[in-house]
Amino acid sequence: TLEILNLSNNFITDQSINILTNFIKENKNLRNLNLAWNQFTGKNIYIFFDAVESSKLLINLNLSRNKIGDSLSDIISNVSKNK
């Protein structure tokens, strides 16, 4: 099973948020997800946020160097609850 996924620097945009959301929901063993240096903004981030919140094992989520803004602090807060 997949526990670590590094998708950093892949030009992933907000249009891919549904794909990532489904991936997180289906991969229950994912512990580390690196999405740094992509092209995310705050648009539709709450769809992604719901998937992250439902993931009980995800303990490391890297969204640095994206343009998410204030939505990021909500996501970090919920991921930290999994520790």
Side-chain angles (χ1 to χ4, degrees):
T1 58
L2 184 65
E3 292 183 11
I4 299 171
L5 180 60
N6 184 348
L7 293 173
S8 63
N9 205 20
N10 276 292
F11 302 102
I12 300 171
T13 66
D14 293 326
Q15 295 173 339
S16 302
I17 208 80
N18 289 331
I19 295 168
L20 286 170
T21 299
N22 290 334
F23 176 81
I24 291 172
K25 286 180 179 179
E26 292 175 11
N27 290 276
K28 303 291 184 190
N29 293 317
L30 188 64
R31 297 181 58 81
N32 297 288
L33 178 59
N34 186 349
L35 295 170
W37 290 96
N38 281 291
Q39 299 177 1
F40 293 111
T41 67
K43 182 180 179 184
N44 297 327
I45 197 66
Y46 287 100
I47 296 168
F48 180 74
F49 170 78
D50 288 340
V52 169
E53 187 175 36
S54 70
S55 173
K56 301 301 180 196
L57 292 179
L58 185 63
I59 58 171
N60 186 3
L61 174 62
N62 186 348
L63 291 169
S64 64
R65 302 298 184 187
N66 285 284
K67 297 180 180 180
I68 295 172
D70 294 335
S71 303
L72 181 59
S73 62
D74 293 335
I75 293 171
I76 291 170
S77 174
N78 280 290
V79 170
S80 67
K81 291 178 186 176
N82 290 341
K83 289 186 177 181

